[in-house]
Amino acid sequence: MNFMVKGRRVLIGITGGIAAYKVCEVISSLAKAGAEVRGILTKSAEKFITPLTVTTLCRHPVYTDESFWGRESGKPLHIELGEWAEVFVIAPLTANTLAKLEWGIADNLLTSTVLASTMPILLVPAMNTDMWEQPTVQRNWQQIFKICSRYHGISPDIGVLACDRLGVGRMAEPSEILAYTESLLYTDGKRDLIGKKVLISAGGTREYIDPARFIGNPSTGKMGIAVARAAAHRGAEVTLVHAALENGVMTFLDNVKTIAVTSAEQMRQTMLEYHADADITVMAAAVADVKPAEYSTEKLPKKTLGASLPLVPVPDILAELGERKQPHQILVGFAAQTGDIVSPARQKLFEKKLDIIVANPIDQPNSGFGSDTNQVIFADAIGRKVTLPLASKLHVAHHLFDFIRTTIFTGKE
Ligand code: CTP
């Protein structure tokens, strides 16, 4: 359920780079999640991983240039694969294959399959920093998205590369590739948020008592990060303000401006600053309701703690955004609830002057804090209500943007 890809058809093209070994994890996760996966290896990819590896992980014979003239259904293989796949992920993508794709060259099974198809394609480059920074490579990388909207991409990250350099060129993490693949299967590659500025908060704020202790909450940030990913995958300009996140939840998020904060007050100031410019604001963070009346710069002895810990309220950021909201802006809140989730969520919707509230049970298995899935209800200010089945948080985020778009079309713009 982590990735909602069951029964979906994903083609993985692997070109010659050391990051090929990391793609094995992508194939394995897709197959375990019930996707049908087929692999194509270029000749140079075969130097890095064996056809047997990919065959075993796909649970299906891999295709190489030797299979080019083979036919499974009477059609040429590149046409058959092009018709079969719903999404084509090319990872790692070398500078060489990028150049071929940019110029429309088809000289092997992988590039011929690209030309003989129309499905969305996810390009995930990996290479040495000097190669990546070549003006020719950069030009190809910029141009390919302008020439053809079916191409999506995840830029390489900074890291220590196999050539021992620290620089840009490291392939995106398997979790990012899997999330983008899941998005493309959901959206069929549509970028319906192009031109929209989306502001999102994620994670749990921390109100420090002294340098060693804080008042916090169990939020891991998974829901807010899923909303940021979904918005970025649909073409929005995304700003993510995140408080404490669970370790490893956020890898490099391509096309997302990330701002780290700790306390509710820091989150408040950052959200107020960016909100003025945002078309859509989604407040997915779990913000503290109270904080210690005073912060002690010295660690307090434990015997002094039990006696009294005076607390003061924290301003409600969402309510403040609701007061400032302009008519063209959409404001979405989350309501973490136990028991009856709809009535208190509706009350928050009206009290905080929101357009949409996501009622989120936190007392159910597989929902709420820390879970990879969520089971939510959307309600809006014009009385509509949609109950979603249990879904991955990325799917919930995409459904939310679909719901937001219907709100925009019913009178916000
Ligand atoms: N929120 C906020 N600032 C706060 C507290 C909450 O912006 N100080 C936002 C949350 O990000 C969420 C929404 O308000 O989008 C609802 O938060 P929730 O914790 O469910 O409810 P509260 O309003 O805090 O009320 P209660 O704890 O009484 O349920």
Side-chain angles (χ1 to χ4, degrees):
M1 182 61 101
N2 283 7
F3 305 106
M4 295 187 70
V5 295
K6 197 170 189 323
R8 307 300 296 268
R9 300 182 305 277
V10 182
L11 184 60
I12 308 275
I14 303 171
T15 71
I18 184 58
Y21 84 92
K22 279 203 299 198
V23 173
C24 295
E25 194 180 327
V26 174
I27 300 174
S28 168
S29 300
L30 286 169
K32 281 185 196 153
E36 287 184 52
V37 198
R38 304 280 183 269
I40 299 178
L41 285 175
T42 61
K43 273 205 172 57
S44 46
E46 284 185 60
K47 307 260 186 229
F48 290 94
I49 48 171
T50 70
L52 183 60
T53 309
V54 182
T55 295
T56 310
L57 293 171
C58 287
R59 288 85 164 142
H60 190 277
V62 70
Y63 301 103
T64 62
D65 284 343
E66 275 181 25
S67 1
F68 195 95
W69 301 110
R71 292 178 179 212
E72 287 204 341
S73 67
K75 285 184 188 169
L77 183 59
H78 58 297
I79 294 171
E80 192 188 319
L81 285 174
E83 287 175 355
W84 174 84
E86 294 177 86
V87 167
F88 194 177
V89 178
I90 305 181
L93 171 73
T94 56
N96 190 37
T97 299
L98 169 63
K100 289 187 207 173
L101 297 181
E102 214 271 297
W103 287 98
I105 292 170
D107 66 345
N108 59 20
L109 179 61
L110 187 150
T111 49
S112 302
T113 305
V114 167
L115 290 197
S117 61
T118 57
M119 80 300 251
I121 299 178
L122 179 60
L123 303 175
V124 195
M127 63 195 79
N128 155 276
T129 307
D130 287 335
M131 292 174 91
W132 174 249
E133 288 177 351
Q134 286 298 321
T136 46
V137 175
Q138 284 303 305
R139 182 205 52 207
N140 289 342
W141 182 244
Q142 306 301 329
Q143 278 298 108
I144 198 160
F145 303 109
K146 291 185 190 147
I147 293 173
C148 189
S149 65
R150 68 188 291 221
Y151 287 112
H152 292 251
I154 314 181
S155 301
D157 194 4
I158 295 179
V160 177
L161 308 178
C163 52
D164 283 336
R165 281 268 302 271
L166 172 65
V168 181
R170 184 169 189 255
M171 192 176 79
E173 288 304 312
S175 57
E176 283 310 309
I177 302 173
L178 287 161
Y180 212 134
T181 304
E182 190 184 356
S183 279
L184 291 177
L185 288 167
Y186 182 98
T187 62
D188 197 26
K190 72 173 182 280
R191 289 182 176 90
D192 55 358
L193 294 177
I194 277 187
K196 297 280 179 211
K197 289 189 176 147
V198 179
L199 172 64
I200 298 147
S201 70
T205 61
R206 289 180 174 182
E207 309 306 319
Y208 273 84
I209 300 164
D210 65 19
R213 306 177 183 97
F214 59 81
I215 300 175
N217 61 69
S219 171
T220 55
K222 286 181 182 174
M223 190 63 238
I225 289 172
V227 176
R229 279 183 173 141
H233 296 165
R234 291 165 82 141
E237 197 181 310
V238 184
T239 303
L240 175 69
V241 180
H242 62 90
L245 302 172
E246 188 178 277
N247 276 349
V249 164
M250 189 167 76
T251 55
F252 166 68
L253 290 178
D254 198 22
N255 287 325
V256 175
K257 176 177 175 147
T258 55
I259 303 169
V261 296
T262 303
S263 66
E265 183 51 33
Q266 289 168 347
M267 179 169 277
R268 174 179 168 267
Q269 284 175 15
T270 317
M271 292 301 286
L272 290 177
E273 182 187 335
Y274 283 88
H275 174 252
D277 221 17
D279 299 296
I280 299 168
T281 300
V282 181
M283 194 74 200
V287 187
D289 295 315
V290 289
K291 64 177 181 181
E294 270 180 44
Y295 171 71
S296 164
T297 51
E298 301 289 322
K299 186 181 172 200
L300 297 166
K302 65 180 167 199
K303 58 179 181 301
T304 65
L305 289 174
S308 83
L309 183 60
L311 299 173
V312 292
V314 161
D316 194 302
I317 304 170
L318 192 56
E320 218 171 318
L321 298 178
E323 288 299 333
R324 294 173 180 226
K325 185 164 64 90
Q326 299 298 309
H328 70 280
Q329 293 181 303
I330 299 266
L331 186 59
V332 181
F334 272 71
Q337 303 298 155
T338 52
D340 165 26
I341 64 169
V342 179
S343 339
R346 274 202 176 285
Q347 201 176 333
K348 290 176 190 175
L349 172 82
F350 291 112
E351 279 173 7
K352 304 192 191 195
K353 300 195 168 94
L354 311 180
D355 298 290
I356 294 169
I357 190 102
V358 182
N360 193 177
I362 53 168
D363 56 353
Q364 301 294 320
N366 306 319
S367 262
F369 295 130
S371 172
D372 289 318
T373 52
N374 223 346
Q375 218 248 288
V376 303
I377 297 173
F378 302 144
D380 71 8
I382 55 170
R384 294 179 312 159
K385 196 181 94 176
V386 170
T387 304
L388 290 190
L390 185 70
S392 71
K393 285 188 169 170
L394 189 62
H395 260 238
V396 170
H398 278 298
H399 281 292
L400 175 61
F401 283 112
D402 287 346
F403 193 69
I404 290 172
R405 283 180 57 76
T406 58
T407 302
I408 292 172
F409 293 135
T410 43
K412 286 291 286 191
E413 258 186 1

